[in-house]
Amino acid sequence: MTTVDDRSPGSAQADRAPHPGPVGPPTVAEVSGPSRVAEPDEAVSTEELQLAARNHGIPLEALRYDVTPAGLHYLLIHYDIPELDPTTHALTIGGAVDRPLTVTLAELRERPRVTRQVTLECAGNGRALLHPRPVSQPWLVEAVGNAEWTGTPLAPLLREAGLGPDAVDVVFTGADHGVERGIEQDYQRALPVVDALRDEVLLAYEMNGAPLLPQHGAPLRLIVPGWYGMAHVKWVRSIDVRTEPFEGYQNAVAYRLRRDADDPGVPVTRIEPRALVRPPGFPDFMSRRRVLRPGPCTVDGRAWSGHAPVVSVEVTTDGGASWVQAELDPPIGGDFAWRRWRHEWTATPGRYVLAARATDASGRTQPVEQPWNRGGFANNLVQRVEVVVPAE
């Protein structure tokens, strides 16, 4: 376990050190502090609560829906929701291309239309369960959703623009602008050319059969099936083809798996396998602990992975002392959509801890103990659901 025992940039001590009084006009870098991890007993801050109020996860009871209603789908907004007019919005494609393009939303709608069911999960899902806790959006396990995205494939547009032979990365720029860790920026992410040219990647303008909502990227967003949510750039306004690796903040600094502030880390890309339990019974208001009547109960939920299709889900009702195979429903949404699983259980009076763990066709399985990383990314530690079955 990493401990916080230095005063390097990004440590809790550095963040809490006294700051000198103002000596001149403020700079943008002074608006936001460095990344850090919480002290061992540090409570969630008002800043983290503010983030949690702006962003939200799926209510776990909504795992019953094959396709997540738009208002229940998880949501993460880095900066502000920009004000964009779909009647005038245009996408530019430039950089290392033979024929730069500008296409309007109306023109994109005239191109081949594809609908894909895709599960999106935030890369920081599970962050708040780590010890010590990385200080950021305090996700538990609910930062996920499965929607039907409609748009036009990206690859034909890139080919029409004419990718140069030395193209390396494709950079997507959103219309949202802000400052993060002292760096003013548009939200930008890049995909390697080979990934940008995948047939599955979409420029989407509809969600669940309706025009995109403002908070979900209207009027145009990127959908990269299999990758964590940070890659699905919202409010896309430009695409820039580069001949060298993109070194923007969201690629080179954020969204990397690192052990400490000096570790360059490795990039976060595809979604690790995860299964979630749809909590049975009914909840206590504050703790969300479940109360379940004795008798037969179908324990079910959803499982997914960005590396390969889920092929197995195991379930425990005794906190991990024993595991049994769950039944998998036939896949209904394709390789990049979640899959329902179920297990028949007879509940008798007592206290229980339910959990499920997924394995995909690549052999990846959810861990029972999650290795720690400084950003709290890709934490697919098994979920634990406390259940009380009272005596009748």
Side-chain angles (χ1 to χ4, degrees):
M1 181 67 73
T2 298
T3 58
V4 182
D5 60 0
D6 59 47
R7 293 183 63 84
S8 61
S11 71
Q13 285 88 341
D15 186 77
R16 292 180 168 189
H19 296 285
V23 294
T27 65
V28 170
E30 294 176 293
V31 174
S32 60
S35 64
R36 69 180 185 90
V37 296
E39 298 282 7
D41 297 320
E42 181 182 347
V44 172
S45 67
T46 54
E47 287 184 338
E48 289 172 290
L49 289 175
Q50 181 174 240
L51 285 175
R54 284 186 56 81
N55 306 308
H56 66 77
I58 185 174
L60 290 179
E61 62 270 26
L63 292 172
R64 63 177 175 260
Y65 299 111
D66 291 335
V67 174
T68 308
L72 299 180
H73 195 286
Y74 102 88
L75 188 65
L76 177 67
I77 302 167
H78 276 255
Y79 308 129
D80 283 353
I81 300 170
E83 184 176 2
L84 299 175
D85 184 350
T87 63
T88 59
H89 189 71
L91 173 71
T92 62
I93 301 176
V97 297
D98 298 330
R99 297 170 292 278
L101 300 177
T102 298
V103 287
T104 66
L105 185 63
E107 290 170 332
L108 288 173
R109 284 182 169 274
E110 292 174 356
R111 299 179 67 87
R113 176 184 173 95
V114 176
T115 297
R116 300 193 191 284
Q117 200 175 122
V118 178
T119 297
L120 267 63
E121 181 180 10
C122 185
N125 202 16
R127 174 186 291 124
L129 300 174
L130 294 177
H131 301 281
R133 185 185 82 256
V135 176
S136 186
Q137 166 67 32
W139 291 124
L140 296 172
V141 297
E142 297 90 347
V144 67
N146 185 67
E148 290 183 340
W149 305 95
T150 298
T152 194
L154 171 67
L157 274 164
L158 292 178
R159 293 192 175 102
E160 285 178 28
L163 295 178
D166 52 354
V168 173
D169 274 355
V170 181
V171 180
F172 303 85
T173 300
D176 46 332
H177 185 86
V179 57
E180 194 165 349
R181 307 307 183 193
I183 299 173
E184 184 176 352
Q185 59 191 284
D186 294 327
Y187 187 86
Q188 291 181 303
R189 280 283 307 186
L191 290 174
V193 167
V194 66
D195 288 294
L197 290 175
R198 286 170 48 205
D199 292 340
E200 300 90 354
V201 178
L202 294 179
L203 290 168
Y205 43 75
E206 291 182 6
M207 178 183 185
N208 295 350
L212 287 173
L213 295 170
Q215 66 270 33
H216 285 296
L220 189 67
R221 71 173 296 168
L222 184 67
I223 296 294
V224 188
W227 283 51
Y228 280 111
M230 78 286 160
H232 304 241
V233 178
K234 293 184 281 190
W235 311 294
V236 177
R237 60 179 177 82
S238 68
I239 298 174
D240 186 47
V241 179
R242 304 283 182 94
T243 57
E244 295 184 357
F246 178 58
E247 296 296 326
Y249 177 86
Q250 302 295 340
N251 268 65
V253 180
Y255 295 108
R256 300 186 73 84
L257 300 172
R258 48 168 61 95
R259 295 294 302 173
D260 54 52
D262 298 322
D263 180 4
V266 295
V268 177
T269 56
R270 288 183 176 263
I271 299 172
E272 295 299 321
R274 186 192 292 274
L276 286 183
V277 177
R278 180 166 68 103
F282 54 91
D284 169 67
F285 171 70
M286 283 295 295
S287 68
R288 310 308 294 178
R289 187 176 294 112
R290 310 303 294 189
V291 179
L292 180 64
R293 305 297 186 199
C297 172
T298 299
V299 179
D300 70 347
R302 304 284 173 167
W304 62 93
S305 173
H307 291 275
V310 169
V311 295
S312 171
V313 172
E314 298 170 277
V315 179
T316 179
T317 58
D318 54 18
S322 62
W323 296 83
V324 297
Q325 284 290 331
E327 178 184 351
L328 286 174
D329 281 8
I332 60 172
D335 290 344
F336 299 102
W338 63 22
R339 190 173 180 183
R340 189 185 180 204
W341 59 265
R342 65 184 77 203
H343 171 66
E344 301 303 326
W345 176 48
T346 300
T348 57
R351 297 178 181 272
Y352 302 89
V353 176
L354 311 185
R357 63 184 178 192
T359 299
D360 68 20
S362 74
R364 291 174 171 83
T365 301
Q366 283 184 262
V368 176
E369 295 184 3
Q370 174 69 40
W372 187 89
N373 69 84
R374 184 177 176 81
F377 297 125
N379 174 21
N380 63 332
L381 179 70
V382 296
Q383 168 203 21
R384 295 168 60 88
V385 179
E386 294 184 36
V387 175
V388 175
V389 181
E392 289 187 310

PDB file of all heavy atoms in Angstrom, residues 278-293:
ATOM      1  N   ARG A 278     -27.799  -6.304  -8.702  1.00  0.00           N
ATOM      2  CA  ARG A 278     -28.976  -5.461  -8.494  1.00  0.00           C
ATOM      3  C   ARG A 278     -29.479  -5.754  -7.088  1.00  0.00           C
ATOM      4  O   ARG A 278     -29.914  -6.876  -6.808  1.00  0.00           O
ATOM      5  CB  ARG A 278     -30.046  -5.777  -9.531  1.00  0.00           C
ATOM      6  CG  ARG A 278     -31.303  -4.934  -9.381  1.00  0.00           C
ATOM      7  CD  ARG A 278     -32.176  -5.025 -10.613  1.00  0.00           C
ATOM      8  NE  ARG A 278     -32.766  -6.341 -10.812  1.00  0.00           N
ATOM      9  CZ  ARG A 278     -34.046  -6.641 -10.526  1.00  0.00           C
ATOM     10  NH1 ARG A 278     -34.848  -5.719 -10.000  1.00  0.00           N
ATOM     11  NH2 ARG A 278     -34.515  -7.843 -10.764  1.00  0.00           N
ATOM     12  N   PRO A 279     -29.395  -4.794  -6.170  1.00  0.00           N
ATOM     13  CA  PRO A 279     -29.686  -5.091  -4.767  1.00  0.00           C
ATOM     14  C   PRO A 279     -31.101  -5.630  -4.573  1.00  0.00           C
ATOM     15  O   PRO A 279     -32.077  -5.006  -5.010  1.00  0.00           O
ATOM     16  CB  PRO A 279     -29.502  -3.736  -4.077  1.00  0.00           C
ATOM     17  CG  PRO A 279     -28.574  -2.989  -4.969  1.00  0.00           C
ATOM     18  CD  PRO A 279     -28.959  -3.405  -6.355  1.00  0.00           C
ATOM     19  N   PRO A 280     -31.239  -6.777  -3.918  1.00  0.00           N
ATOM     20  CA  PRO A 280     -32.572  -7.351  -3.702  1.00  0.00           C
ATOM     21  C   PRO A 280     -33.285  -6.698  -2.523  1.00  0.00           C
ATOM     22  O   PRO A 280     -32.677  -5.972  -1.722  1.00  0.00           O
ATOM     23  CB  PRO A 280     -32.264  -8.819  -3.409  1.00  0.00           C
ATOM     24  CG  PRO A 280     -30.927  -8.777  -2.730  1.00  0.00           C
ATOM     25  CD  PRO A 280     -30.174  -7.640  -3.385  1.00  0.00           C
ATOM     26  N   GLY A 281     -34.577  -6.963  -2.392  1.00  0.00           N
ATOM     27  CA  GLY A 281     -35.326  -6.457  -1.246  1.00  0.00           C
ATOM     28  C   GLY A 281     -35.547  -4.967  -1.305  1.00  0.00           C
ATOM     29  O   GLY A 281     -35.714  -4.378  -2.371  1.00  0.00           O
ATOM     30  N   PHE A 282     -35.509  -4.330  -0.121  1.00  0.00           N
ATOM     31  CA  PHE A 282     -35.702  -2.876  -0.035  1.00  0.00           C
ATOM     32  C   PHE A 282     -34.643  -2.290   0.885  1.00  0.00           C
ATOM     33  O   PHE A 282     -34.084  -2.985   1.736  1.00  0.00           O
ATOM     34  CB  PHE A 282     -37.122  -2.529   0.442  1.00  0.00           C
ATOM     35  CG  PHE A 282     -37.530  -3.184   1.746  1.00  0.00           C
ATOM     36  CD1 PHE A 282     -37.313  -2.553   2.959  1.00  0.00           C
ATOM     37  CD2 PHE A 282     -38.146  -4.428   1.749  1.00  0.00           C
ATOM     38  CE1 PHE A 282     -37.688  -3.140   4.154  1.00  0.00           C
ATOM     39  CE2 PHE A 282     -38.527  -5.036   2.947  1.00  0.00           C
ATOM     40  CZ  PHE A 282     -38.306  -4.394   4.152  1.00  0.00           C
ATOM     41  N   PRO A 283     -34.345  -0.972   0.733  1.00  0.00           N
ATOM     42  CA  PRO A 283     -33.182  -0.409   1.417  1.00  0.00           C
ATOM     43  C   PRO A 283     -33.514   0.360   2.690  1.00  0.00           C
ATOM     44  O   PRO A 283     -34.603   0.912   2.843  1.00  0.00           O
ATOM     45  CB  PRO A 283     -32.623   0.563   0.369  1.00  0.00           C
ATOM     46  CG  PRO A 283     -33.868   1.096  -0.290  1.00  0.00           C
ATOM     47  CD  PRO A 283     -34.848  -0.053  -0.316  1.00  0.00           C
ATOM     48  N   ASP A 284     -32.519   0.423   3.570  1.00  0.00           N
ATOM     49  CA  ASP A 284     -32.499   1.446   4.617  1.00  0.00           C
ATOM     50  C   ASP A 284     -32.135   2.767   3.947  1.00  0.00           C
ATOM     51  O   ASP A 284     -31.256   2.816   3.072  1.00  0.00           O
ATOM     52  CB  ASP A 284     -31.462   1.097   5.681  1.00  0.00           C
ATOM     53  CG  ASP A 284     -31.211   2.247   6.643  1.00  0.00           C
ATOM     54  OD1 ASP A 284     -32.133   2.591   7.401  1.00  0.00           O
ATOM     55  OD2 ASP A 284     -30.093   2.815   6.617  1.00  0.00           O
ATOM     56  N   PHE A 285     -32.809   3.843   4.340  1.00  0.00           N
ATOM     57  CA  PHE A 285     -32.620   5.128   3.674  1.00  0.00           C
ATOM     58  C   PHE A 285     -31.171   5.594   3.700  1.00  0.00           C
ATOM     59  O   PHE A 285     -30.607   5.991   2.670  1.00  0.00           O
ATOM     60  CB  PHE A 285     -33.521   6.190   4.323  1.00  0.00           C
ATOM     61  CG  PHE A 285     -33.244   7.594   3.834  1.00  0.00           C
ATOM     62  CD1 PHE A 285     -33.574   7.968   2.542  1.00  0.00           C
ATOM     63  CD2 PHE A 285     -32.636   8.528   4.660  1.00  0.00           C
ATOM     64  CE1 PHE A 285     -33.316   9.249   2.078  1.00  0.00           C
ATOM     65  CE2 PHE A 285     -32.373   9.808   4.209  1.00  0.00           C
ATOM     66  CZ  PHE A 285     -32.711  10.170   2.910  1.00  0.00           C
ATOM     67  N   MET A 286     -30.530   5.580   4.864  1.00  0.00           N
ATOM     68  CA  MET A 286     -29.183   6.135   4.982  1.00  0.00           C
ATOM     69  C   MET A 286     -28.094   5.182   4.503  1.00  0.00           C
ATOM     70  O   MET A 286     -27.252   5.546   3.680  1.00  0.00           O
ATOM     71  CB  MET A 286     -28.910   6.540   6.435  1.00  0.00           C
ATOM     72  CG  MET A 286     -29.573   7.833   6.852  1.00  0.00           C
ATOM     73  SD  MET A 286     -28.929   9.289   5.963  1.00  0.00           S
ATOM     74  CE  MET A 286     -27.239   9.327   6.543  1.00  0.00           C
ATOM     75  N   SER A 287     -28.091   3.973   5.011  1.00  0.00           N
ATOM     76  CA  SER A 287     -26.983   3.053   4.741  1.00  0.00           C
ATOM     77  C   SER A 287     -27.136   2.314   3.419  1.00  0.00           C
ATOM     78  O   SER A 287     -26.161   1.772   2.906  1.00  0.00           O
ATOM     79  CB  SER A 287     -26.883   2.020   5.866  1.00  0.00           C
ATOM     80  OG  SER A 287     -27.998   1.145   5.844  1.00  0.00           O
ATOM     81  N   ARG A 288     -28.335   2.254   2.873  1.00  0.00           N
ATOM     82  CA  ARG A 288     -28.672   1.460   1.696  1.00  0.00           C
ATOM     83  C   ARG A 288     -28.532  -0.033   1.959  1.00  0.00           C
ATOM     84  O   ARG A 288     -28.601  -0.855   1.029  1.00  0.00           O
ATOM     85  CB  ARG A 288     -27.856   1.855   0.459  1.00  0.00           C
ATOM     86  CG  ARG A 288     -27.842   3.338   0.159  1.00  0.00           C
ATOM     87  CD  ARG A 288     -29.216   3.948   0.101  1.00  0.00           C
ATOM     88  NE  ARG A 288     -30.031   3.470  -1.004  1.00  0.00           N
ATOM     89  CZ  ARG A 288     -31.294   3.846  -1.214  1.00  0.00           C
ATOM     90  NH1 ARG A 288     -31.870   4.690  -0.380  1.00  0.00           N
ATOM     91  NH2 ARG A 288     -31.967   3.367  -2.231  1.00  0.00           N
ATOM     92  N   ARG A 289     -28.339  -0.433   3.211  1.00  0.00           N
ATOM     93  CA  ARG A 289     -28.340  -1.854   3.563  1.00  0.00           C
ATOM     94  C   ARG A 289     -29.694  -2.438   3.181  1.00  0.00           C
ATOM     95  O   ARG A 289     -30.731  -1.826   3.370  1.00  0.00           O
ATOM     96  CB  ARG A 289     -28.063  -2.032   5.046  1.00  0.00           C
ATOM     97  CG  ARG A 289     -27.866  -3.478   5.481  1.00  0.00           C
ATOM     98  CD  ARG A 289     -27.488  -3.560   6.953  1.00  0.00           C
ATOM     99  NE  ARG A 289     -26.170  -2.972   7.195  1.00  0.00           N
ATOM    100  CZ  ARG A 289     -25.974  -1.849   7.875  1.00  0.00           C
ATOM    101  NH1 ARG A 289     -27.004  -1.178   8.386  1.00  0.00           N
ATOM    102  NH2 ARG A 289     -24.750  -1.382   8.043  1.00  0.00           N
ATOM    103  N   ARG A 290     -29.705  -3.644   2.631  1.00  0.00           N
ATOM    104  CA  ARG A 290     -30.917  -4.225   2.104  1.00  0.00           C
ATOM    105  C   ARG A 290     -31.643  -5.086   3.136  1.00  0.00           C
ATOM    106  O   ARG A 290     -31.004  -5.791   3.933  1.00  0.00           O
ATOM    107  CB  ARG A 290     -30.610  -5.092   0.888  1.00  0.00           C
ATOM    108  CG  ARG A 290     -29.755  -4.428  -0.162  1.00  0.00           C
ATOM    109  CD  ARG A 290     -30.331  -3.141  -0.704  1.00  0.00           C
ATOM    110  NE  ARG A 290     -31.566  -3.368  -1.461  1.00  0.00           N
ATOM    111  CZ  ARG A 290     -32.161  -2.425  -2.170  1.00  0.00           C
ATOM    112  NH1 ARG A 290     -31.645  -1.205  -2.218  1.00  0.00           N
ATOM    113  NH2 ARG A 290     -33.270  -2.691  -2.828  1.00  0.00           N
ATOM    114  N   VAL A 291     -32.960  -5.042   3.093  1.00  0.00           N
ATOM    115  CA  VAL A 291     -33.817  -5.905   3.900  1.00  0.00           C
ATOM    116  C   VAL A 291     -34.572  -6.809   2.936  1.00  0.00           C
ATOM    117  O   VAL A 291     -35.199  -6.328   1.985  1.00  0.00           O
ATOM    118  CB  VAL A 291     -34.800  -5.090   4.762  1.00  0.00           C
ATOM    119  CG1 VAL A 291     -35.697  -6.025   5.578  1.00  0.00           C
ATOM    120  CG2 VAL A 291     -34.040  -4.140   5.680  1.00  0.00           C
ATOM    121  N   LEU A 292     -34.497  -8.107   3.181  1.00  0.00           N
ATOM    122  CA  LEU A 292     -35.075  -9.090   2.263  1.00  0.00           C
ATOM    123  C   LEU A 292     -35.925 -10.079   3.042  1.00  0.00           C
ATOM    124  O   LEU A 292     -35.508 -10.582   4.096  1.00  0.00           O
ATOM    125  CB  LEU A 292     -33.947  -9.822   1.527  1.00  0.00           C
ATOM    126  CG  LEU A 292     -34.329 -10.896   0.526  1.00  0.00           C
ATOM    127  CD1 LEU A 292     -35.108 -10.290  -0.641  1.00  0.00           C
ATOM    128  CD2 LEU A 292     -33.070 -11.608   0.023  1.00  0.00           C
ATOM    129  N   ARG A 293     -37.117 -10.354   2.556  1.00  0.00           N
ATOM    130  CA  ARG A 293     -37.982 -11.339   3.200  1.00  0.00           C
ATOM    131  C   ARG A 293     -37.421 -12.748   2.988  1.00  0.00           C
ATOM    132  O   ARG A 293     -36.846 -13.034   1.928  1.00  0.00           O
ATOM    133  CB  ARG A 293     -39.393 -11.274   2.628  1.00  0.00           C
ATOM    134  CG  ARG A 293     -40.058  -9.914   2.691  1.00  0.00           C
ATOM    135  CD  ARG A 293     -40.242  -9.453   4.118  1.00  0.00           C
ATOM    136  NE  ARG A 293     -41.020  -8.198   4.153  1.00  0.00           N
ATOM    137  CZ  ARG A 293     -41.040  -7.375   5.182  1.00  0.00           C
ATOM    138  NH1 ARG A 293     -40.326  -7.658   6.265  1.00  0.00           N
ATOM    139  NH2 ARG A 293     -41.769  -6.267   5.145  1.00  0.00           N
TER     140      ARG A 293
END
